Structures are given as structure tokens and as C-alpha cells.
Amino acid sequence: GEDVEQSLFLSVREGDSSVINCTYTDSSSTYLYWYKQEPGAGLQLLTYIFSNMDMKQDQRLTVLLNKKDKHLSLRIADTQTGDSAIYFCAVPDSGYALNFGKGTSLLVTP
Amino acid sequence: NAGVTQTPKFQVLKTGQSMTLQCAQDMNHEYMSWYRQDPGMGLRLIHYSVGAGITDQGEVPNGYNVSRSTTEDFPLRLLSAAPSQTSVYFCASREGGRAYHEQFFGPGTRLTVL
């Protein structure tokens, strides 16, 4: 199956940029996703990128995709305390399922 | 739309007891799935369904059964609960097809097996 790897923790100061990285193994994925999980809640789609794109920007969020290295990153500009959450990289497998990384816990300190 | 709903929110079981976690969606989504979330393990797929009457196993199916008699409902059954099944369970749904597919998640069921 698809292997999706993420670092487990990231701590940044409020106002700084956060960069969360993800690597994956399958190169046939059409879309790649970032989900956000706030404490005690389910996952919500944060953003996504189509596999023929290198970059996608959505307000404070920038997604970079390097297909050659199978590397996906999520940059959050001007990180706020409300951005503290767990962020999951998700890549479709060859069937119908999404394979999730273990999640990166982002802690934003004042 | 209520989206994806799950009941109960919390449950405590004794080893060997059985129970059913309920999941329903009102978006007419073809695809539904069950995940479990454990600390440091991310989300792992238990079972999934691509339509009414069709189910298949995911990464960690042992100890769980599912059925899909309607498009809306996808219950998860624990036949004989074990402490290893202590986890948070999420149900998710999405439209069919293999193109862009945002998954919508329920709020989760936190299960403790003593």
C-alpha cells in the first residue's frame, strides 16, 4: 500500500511561518490532500493540489508539490494560535481509499 | 444537510461485549469508510464500501464487521470487544469515482474497552 510519511511535531511562534512536510511512495495519485484536525473533532479538508501543479496558494496556505521527489509541503504564513491542530497529508491509493500520514501536531506559541 | 453523523460519541465496553457504531450521511455519497485513530498511528482504514451492498476490507479489518444495506447508513460492528480496540473511530463519506474526492468525516466515537 501507499506509504505516507510526516514528521510528528512542529512548534512555531505566533506570526512565524510553519512548514509541514510529507513524502509518499505512489506516483499515480491524481490529487493530494491536506486535512486539519482540531482537538476533539473529526478531520476537515484544508486544501488540495492536483498532481499536474507545482504550487497552489490559498490565502495564508501554500502547497508545494515535487513529483520527482514525491514530496508535498504545506506552508502556513503568519501562523496564529488558532492554527494549532494536527495536520494530515493524504494520498489516494490505487483503489478508492485515502492513505493518511500519521499527522503533524502543530503547536503555536504566543 | 447534517453531513456525516456518528453515534454514540462515547462508549465504554467490557472485554467480550458486542456493540454497533452507527454512521449515517445525507449527501447521497456512494463511498463510505471507517477509520480508527490511535496515538502516533494516524488514521487506519478498517472497512469501506463503494455502494449499497458492496463492502471490502481495509488495512485493519480483524474484529470488525460492516454492512451497507442503504446508501445512507454504514454501521460498524464489534463482535467481541478487546482492549486493543480502544480507539477513536471515524466514519467518512465521499462521492464516487477516482477523481477529486473530498472526504467528509463524522465527529468520531471514542471507545474504551476495559
Coordinates of all heavy atoms in Angstrom, one line a residue, chain A residues 30-31 33 35 37 40-43 45 48 86 88 92 94-98 100-103, chain B residues 31 35 37 40-43 45 48 50 90 94 97-103 105-107 110:
Chain A
T30 N -3.8 11.3 -8.4 CA -4.3 12.5 -9.1 C -4.3 13.7 -8.3 O -3.9 14.8 -8.8 CB -5.7 12.2 -9.7 OG1 -5.7 10.9 -10.4 CG2 -6.1 13.3 -10.6
Y31 N -4.9 13.6 -7.1 CA -4.9 14.7 -6.2 C -4.2 14.3 -4.9 O -4.2 13.2 -4.5 CB -6.4 15.1 -5.9 CG -7.1 15.7 -7.0 CD1 -7.8 14.9 -7.9 CD2 -7.2 17.1 -7.1 CE1 -8.5 15.5 -9.0 CE2 -7.9 17.7 -8.2 CZ -8.6 16.9 -9.1 OH -9.2 17.4 -10.1
Y33 N -3.9 15.7 -0.7 CA -4.7 16.5 0.2 C -4.0 16.8 1.5 O -3.2 16.1 2.0 CB -6.0 15.7 0.5 CG -6.8 15.2 -0.7 CD1 -6.4 14.1 -1.4 CD2 -7.9 16.0 -1.1 CE1 -7.2 13.6 -2.5 CE2 -8.6 15.6 -2.2 CZ -8.2 14.4 -2.9 OH -9.0 14.0 -4.0
Y35 N -5.5 17.6 5.3 CA -6.6 17.7 6.3 C -6.1 18.3 7.6 O -5.0 18.1 8.0 CB -7.2 16.3 6.5 CG -8.1 15.8 5.4 CD1 -7.6 15.2 4.3 CD2 -9.5 15.9 5.6 CE1 -8.4 14.8 3.3 CE2 -10.3 15.4 4.6 CZ -9.8 14.9 3.4 OH -10.6 14.4 2.4
Q37 N -7.2 18.6 11.8 CA -8.0 18.0 12.9 C -7.8 18.9 14.1 O -6.7 18.9 14.7 CB -7.6 16.6 13.2 CG -8.5 16.0 14.2 CD -8.1 14.5 14.6 OE1 -7.0 14.1 14.5 NE2 -9.1 13.7 14.9
G40 N -10.5 17.1 19.6 CA -11.8 16.5 19.9 C -12.7 16.5 18.7 O -13.9 16.2 18.8
A41 N -12.2 16.8 17.5 CA -13.1 16.9 16.3 C -12.6 15.9 15.2 O -11.6 15.3 15.3 CB -13.1 18.3 15.8
G42 N -13.4 15.8 14.2 CA -13.1 15.0 13.1 C -12.1 15.7 12.1 O -11.7 16.9 12.4
L43 N -11.8 15.1 11.0 CA -10.9 15.8 10.1 C -11.7 16.6 9.1 O -12.8 16.3 8.7 CB -10.1 14.7 9.3 CG -8.9 14.1 10.0 CD1 -9.3 13.2 11.1 CD2 -8.0 13.4 9.0
L45 N -11.2 18.8 5.4 CA -10.3 19.2 4.2 C -9.8 20.6 4.3 O -10.6 21.5 4.5 CB -11.0 18.9 2.9 CG -10.1 19.2 1.7 CD1 -9.0 18.2 1.6 CD2 -11.0 19.2 0.4
Y48 N -6.0 21.1 -1.2 CA -5.6 20.0 -2.0 C -4.8 20.6 -3.2 O -4.8 21.8 -3.5 CB -6.8 19.2 -2.5 CG -7.7 20.0 -3.5 CD1 -7.5 19.9 -4.9 CD2 -8.7 20.8 -3.0 CE1 -8.3 20.6 -5.7 CE2 -9.5 21.5 -3.9 CZ -9.3 21.4 -5.2 OH -10.1 22.1 -6.1
I86 N -3.7 19.2 14.4 CA -3.0 18.1 13.8 C -3.3 18.2 12.3 O -4.4 18.3 11.9 CB -3.4 16.7 14.3 CG1 -3.2 16.6 15.8 CG2 -2.5 15.6 13.6 CD1 -3.6 15.3 16.4
F88 N -2.8 16.4 8.5 CA -2.6 15.1 7.9 C -2.4 15.3 6.4 O -3.2 16.0 5.7 CB -3.8 14.2 8.1 CG -4.0 13.7 9.5 CD1 -4.8 14.5 10.4 CD2 -3.4 12.6 9.9 CE1 -4.9 14.0 11.7 CE2 -3.6 12.1 11.2 CZ -4.3 12.8 12.1
P92 N -4.4 9.3 -2.3 CA -5.3 8.2 -2.7 C -4.4 7.0 -3.1 O -3.3 7.1 -3.6 CB -6.0 8.8 -4.0 CG -5.9 10.2 -3.9 CD -4.6 10.5 -3.2
S94 N -4.5 3.1 -5.0 CA -4.9 2.7 -6.4 C -6.4 2.4 -6.5 O -6.9 2.2 -7.6 CB -4.1 1.4 -6.8 OG -4.3 0.4 -5.9
G95 N -7.0 2.2 -5.3 CA -8.5 2.0 -5.4 C -9.3 3.2 -5.0 O -9.2 4.2 -5.7
Y96 N -10.0 3.1 -3.9 CA -10.9 4.2 -3.6 C -10.6 4.8 -2.2 O -11.2 5.8 -1.8 CB -12.3 3.6 -3.4 CG -12.9 3.1 -4.7 CD1 -12.7 1.8 -5.1 CD2 -13.7 3.9 -5.5 CE1 -13.2 1.3 -6.3 CE2 -14.2 3.4 -6.7 CZ -14.0 2.1 -7.1 OH -14.5 1.7 -8.2
A97 N -9.5 4.3 -1.6 CA -9.3 4.8 -0.2 C -8.2 5.9 -0.2 O -7.5 6.1 -1.2 CB -8.8 3.7 0.7
L98 N -8.2 6.7 0.8 CA -7.2 7.7 1.1 C -6.2 7.1 2.1 O -6.7 6.6 3.1 CB -7.8 9.0 1.7 CG -8.3 10.0 0.7 CD1 -8.8 11.2 1.5 CD2 -7.2 10.5 -0.3
F100 N -3.5 8.0 4.8 CA -3.1 9.2 5.6 C -1.8 9.0 6.2 O -1.4 7.9 6.6 CB -4.1 9.4 6.8 CG -5.5 9.9 6.3 CD1 -6.4 9.0 5.9 CD2 -5.7 11.3 6.3 CE1 -7.7 9.5 5.4 CE2 -7.0 11.8 5.9 CZ -7.9 10.9 5.4
G101 N -1.0 10.1 6.4 CA 0.2 10.1 7.2 C -0.2 10.0 8.6 O -1.4 10.1 9.0
K102 N 0.8 9.9 9.5 CA 0.5 9.8 11.0 C 0.0 11.2 11.5 O -0.4 11.2 12.7 CB 1.7 9.3 11.7 CG 1.9 7.8 11.4 CD 3.1 7.3 12.2 CE 3.2 5.8 12.2 NZ 3.4 5.2 10.8
G103 N 0.2 12.2 10.8 CA -0.2 13.5 11.3 C 0.9 14.3 12.0 O 1.7 13.7 12.7
Chain B
Y31 N -19.4 6.4 -1.6 CA -18.3 5.8 -0.9 C -18.4 6.1 0.6 O -18.5 7.3 1.0 CB -17.0 6.3 -1.5 CG -15.8 5.7 -0.9 CD1 -15.3 4.5 -1.3 CD2 -15.1 6.4 0.1 CE1 -14.2 4.0 -0.7 CE2 -13.9 5.9 0.6 CZ -13.5 4.7 0.2 OH -12.3 4.2 0.8
Y35 N -12.5 4.5 9.8 CA -11.1 4.6 10.2 C -11.0 4.5 11.8 O -12.0 4.9 12.4 CB -10.5 5.9 9.8 CG -10.4 6.1 8.3 CD1 -11.4 6.7 7.6 CD2 -9.2 5.9 7.7 CE1 -11.3 6.9 6.2 CE2 -9.0 6.1 6.3 CZ -10.1 6.6 5.6 OH -9.9 6.9 4.3
Q37 N -8.4 5.8 14.8 CA -7.2 6.7 15.1 C -6.6 6.4 16.4 O -7.3 6.5 17.5 CB -7.7 8.2 15.0 CG -6.5 9.2 15.2 CD -6.9 10.6 15.1 OE1 -8.1 11.0 15.4 NE2 -6.0 11.5 14.7
G40 N 0.0 8.4 17.6 CA 1.2 8.0 16.8 C 1.0 7.1 15.7 O 1.9 6.8 15.0
M41 N -0.3 6.7 15.4 CA -0.5 5.8 14.3 C -1.3 6.4 13.1 O -1.5 5.8 12.1 CB -1.3 4.6 14.8 CG -0.7 3.8 15.9 SD 0.8 3.0 15.3 CE 0.1 1.8 14.2
G42 N -1.8 7.7 13.3 CA -2.6 8.3 12.3 C -3.9 7.6 12.1 O -4.4 7.0 13.1
L43 N -4.5 7.7 10.9 CA -5.7 7.0 10.7 C -5.5 5.7 9.9 O -4.8 5.8 8.9 CB -6.6 7.9 9.8 CG -7.5 8.9 10.6 CD1 -6.6 10.1 11.1 CD2 -8.7 9.4 9.8
L45 N -7.5 2.5 7.9 CA -8.7 2.1 7.3 C -9.1 0.8 7.8 O -8.4 -0.2 7.7 CB -8.6 2.2 5.8 CG -9.8 1.8 5.0 CD1 -10.9 2.9 5.2 CD2 -9.5 1.8 3.5
Y48 N -14.4 -0.4 4.1 CA -15.0 0.6 3.2 C -16.1 0.0 2.3 O -16.2 -1.2 2.2 CB -14.0 1.4 2.4 CG -13.3 0.5 1.4 CD1 -13.7 0.5 0.1 CD2 -12.1 -0.2 1.7 CE1 -13.0 -0.2 -0.9 CE2 -11.5 -1.0 0.8 CZ -11.9 -1.0 -0.5 OH -11.3 -1.7 -1.5
V50 N -18.2 0.9 -1.5 CA -18.3 1.8 -2.7 C -19.7 1.9 -3.2 O -20.0 2.5 -4.2 CB -17.4 1.2 -3.8 CG1 -15.9 1.3 -3.4 CG2 -17.8 -0.1 -4.3
F90 N -13.7 7.0 13.3 CA -14.2 8.0 12.4 C -14.9 7.3 11.2 O -14.3 6.4 10.6 CB -13.2 8.9 12.0 CG -12.7 9.9 13.0 CD1 -11.5 9.6 13.7 CD2 -13.4 11.0 13.4 CE1 -11.0 10.5 14.6 CE2 -12.9 11.8 14.4 CZ -11.7 11.6 15.0
R94 N -17.7 10.1 0.8 CA -17.4 11.0 -0.3 C -18.2 10.5 -1.6 O -18.8 9.4 -1.6 CB -15.9 11.0 -0.6 CG -15.4 9.7 -1.2 CD -14.0 9.9 -1.8 NE -13.3 8.7 -2.3 CZ -13.5 8.3 -3.5 NH1 -14.3 8.9 -4.4 NH2 -12.8 7.2 -3.9
G97 N -16.2 7.6 -7.7 CA -15.2 8.0 -8.8 C -13.9 8.1 -8.2 O -13.7 8.2 -7.0
R98 N -12.9 8.2 -9.1 CA -11.5 8.3 -8.6 C -10.8 9.6 -8.9 O -9.6 9.8 -8.7 CB -10.7 7.2 -9.4 CG -11.2 5.8 -9.1 CD -10.2 4.8 -9.6 NE -10.7 3.4 -9.4 CZ -9.9 2.3 -9.5 NH1 -8.7 2.5 -10.0 NH2 -10.4 1.2 -9.3
A99 N -11.6 10.6 -9.3 CA -11.0 11.9 -9.5 C -11.0 12.6 -8.1 O -10.9 12.0 -7.1 CB -11.8 12.7 -10.5
Y100 N -11.1 14.0 -8.1 CA -11.1 14.7 -6.9 C -12.1 14.2 -6.0 O -13.3 14.0 -6.3 CB -11.3 16.2 -7.2 CG -11.6 17.0 -5.9 CD1 -10.5 17.3 -5.1 CD2 -12.8 17.4 -5.6 CE1 -10.7 18.0 -3.9 CE2 -13.0 18.2 -4.4 CZ -12.0 18.5 -3.6 OH -12.2 19.2 -2.5
H101 N -11.8 13.9 -4.8 CA -12.8 13.4 -3.8 C -12.5 13.8 -2.4 O -11.8 13.2 -1.7 CB -12.9 11.8 -4.0 CG -11.6 11.1 -4.0 ND1 -11.3 10.2 -5.0 CD2 -10.5 11.1 -3.2 CE1 -10.1 9.7 -4.7 NE2 -9.6 10.2 -3.6
E102 N -13.1 14.9 -2.0 CA -13.1 15.3 -0.7 C -13.8 14.3 0.2 O -15.0 14.0 0.0 CB -13.7 16.7 -0.5 CG -13.7 17.2 0.9 CD -14.3 18.6 1.1 OE1 -14.7 19.1 0.0 OE2 -14.4 19.0 2.2
Q103 N -13.2 13.9 1.3 CA -13.9 13.0 2.2 C -14.4 13.9 3.4 O -13.8 14.8 3.9 CB -12.9 12.0 2.8 CG -12.6 10.9 1.9 CD -12.3 9.6 2.5 OE1 -13.2 9.0 3.2 NE2 -11.1 9.1 2.4
F105 N -15.8 13.8 7.2 CA -15.7 13.0 8.4 C -16.8 13.3 9.4 O -17.2 14.5 9.5 CB -14.3 13.2 9.0 CG -13.2 12.5 8.3 CD1 -12.6 13.1 7.1 CD2 -12.8 11.3 8.7 CE1 -11.6 12.4 6.5 CE2 -11.7 10.6 8.0 CZ -11.2 11.2 6.9
G106 N -17.2 12.3 10.1 CA -18.0 12.5 11.2 C -17.2 12.9 12.4 O -16.0 13.0 12.4
P107 N -17.9 13.2 13.6 CA -17.2 13.8 14.7 C -16.5 12.7 15.5 O -15.7 13.1 16.4 CB -18.4 14.4 15.5 CG -19.5 13.6 15.2 CD -19.4 13.2 13.7
R110 N -15.5 7.8 20.6 CA -14.4 7.4 21.5 C -14.8 6.2 22.2 O -15.7 6.2 23.1 CB -14.1 8.6 22.4 CG -12.8 8.4 23.2 CD -12.4 9.6 24.0 NE -12.1 10.7 23.1 CZ -10.9 11.0 22.6 NH1 -9.9 10.2 22.9 NH2 -10.8 12.0 21.9

